[in-house]
Amino acid sequence: MENVRNLVSHDNGNTIRVILDGLHELGYRTPKLPLILSPHQFGIPQLRERAFLPGIYDPDNAYTPLEFDMGKLLTKNENNIFSIIDTNEDDNSLKLRPDDERTMQAWNEFYHGIDLKIIGFPIWADFFHSNEDISDFPEWKKDFVHKNEQLYQRNKAFIDNWSEKWNIYKDFTPTQRKFEWQCGTSINDISEALIQFRPSGMRVKVPTVAPALVAMVQTPVIGKLKRKLSLKECLRLQNFPDSFSFGGQNPHECYKQLGNSICVKVVQKVTEKLLEQ
C-alpha cells in the first residue's frame, strides 16, 4: 500500500492504527509503521516523501512486525537535477513566458540588492509599507509581515528604486509580488536555481532535487535553461522509461497523470526487500 506521508500522523495516528489493525485481523504482517521513502533516496532527483506499507499474508504471525532495512539511502544533496535533464530538448512550448522571465529578472535583482542573503521568510512586496490592519492575522503571518517591514526599512532606498523601475505595484500580479528564496547561500543567482511559479509566489530552490510532481501541474523551471521540465524529464523523475506511452493524451493530462503516479524505483526497492522476507 502507498499513500501520502501525512497518513501516518493523520488524526494523531489513529487513522494508521485503524488501517494496521484491519490488516493484521485479515492475516497480514506489516512493519510497525509505514516506511517513509522518497525517490531522491535512491538517486532519482525528486523530493517526494510517501508512506509505503508492505505486507505478507501470514495469519499465524500477523501480529509480529516485519523488520525492514532499506540499506544506505542518499540525501538531497547527493542528487543533481541535471542527471535527468535532456540537453537536446528544443520544444518552444517549454520556454518561459515573457511575464515569468520578467518576474525572475526582477526578483533576481532584488535578491542581489538587499542586505540579506539567507532569507528565512517569504518576501511579500505588498507589506513593505502597508496600512493594512493585520490584527486578525495569525501570529505566524504577523511575524512574516513584521520581517518584511523591517527588511524594507533597512533597504528603503534600494527597494523604492527597484519597485519603481519594475513597476511592481501595477505591472505585477499579487502572486508575482511574492518571492521565496529557499537556497541559503548554496547558490547566488536565480539562474542557477530550480524555480516554481506557485499561487504563494515564485519559489527558488537549489538544483539538487525537484519538488514533488503534483496533479495540478506546477512544473518546475530550470533557471539556467529558462524553460520548464519536459514530459520526458518528468517521466525520468518518476523512473518511467523515456519510451513510455500515455496513449495519445494531451500533454496537460500526461503531466497530471505523472503527478498522481508513484516513482517506479521506490516501488521496486520496497518490493525487493519484501520478497526477501
Side-chain angles (χ1 to χ4, degrees), residues 124-132 145 148-150 152-153 156 159-160 163 169:
W124 296 334
D126 288 348
F127 287 103
F128 286 157
H129 41 77
S130 170
N131 294 320
E132 183 177 346
V145 170
N148 274 273
E149 292 171 338
Q150 291 163 5
Y152 173 71
Q153 289 302 324
K156 187 176 185 301
I159 292 177
D160 284 345
S163 60
Y169 299 106

Side-chain angles (χ1 to χ4, degrees), residues 116-143:
L116 200 57
K117 295 305 165 200
I118 300 179
I119 306 174
F121 56 93
I123 302 295
W124 296 334
D126 288 348
F127 287 103
F128 286 157
H129 41 77
S130 170
N131 294 320
E132 183 177 346
D133 180 11
I134 66 169
S135 58
D136 291 333
F137 284 10
E139 290 304 314
W140 63 266
K141 192 169 183 179
K142 288 180 185 176
D143 181 53

Side-chain angles (χ1 to χ4, degrees), residues 8 13 16-17 19-21 24 29-35 52-54 62-68:
V8 179
I16 192 62
R17 279 194 289 272
I19 291 171
L20 289 169
D21 287 345
H24 299 156
R29 285 182 70 193
T30 70
K32 287 182 179 178
L33 287 172
L35 314 172
F52 288 85
L53 185 59
Y63 291 90
T64 303
L66 290 176
E67 298 296 330
F68 259 75

Side-chain angles (χ1 to χ4, degrees), residues 11 13 23 25 29 37 59 87-88 96 115 127 129 131 139 154 171-172 181 195-196 214 227 241 245 250 265 275:
D11 192 20
L23 289 170
E25 287 173 13
R29 285 182 70 193
L37 297 169
T87 54
N88 296 316
L96 278 180
D115 64 354
F127 287 103
H129 41 77
N131 294 320
E139 290 304 314
R154 294 198 313 271
D171 291 349
F172 282 55
W181 177 271
I195 300 134
Q196 269 187 306
V214 293
R227 67 165 175 83
S245 171
N250 66 56
K265 192 166 189 177
L275 293 175

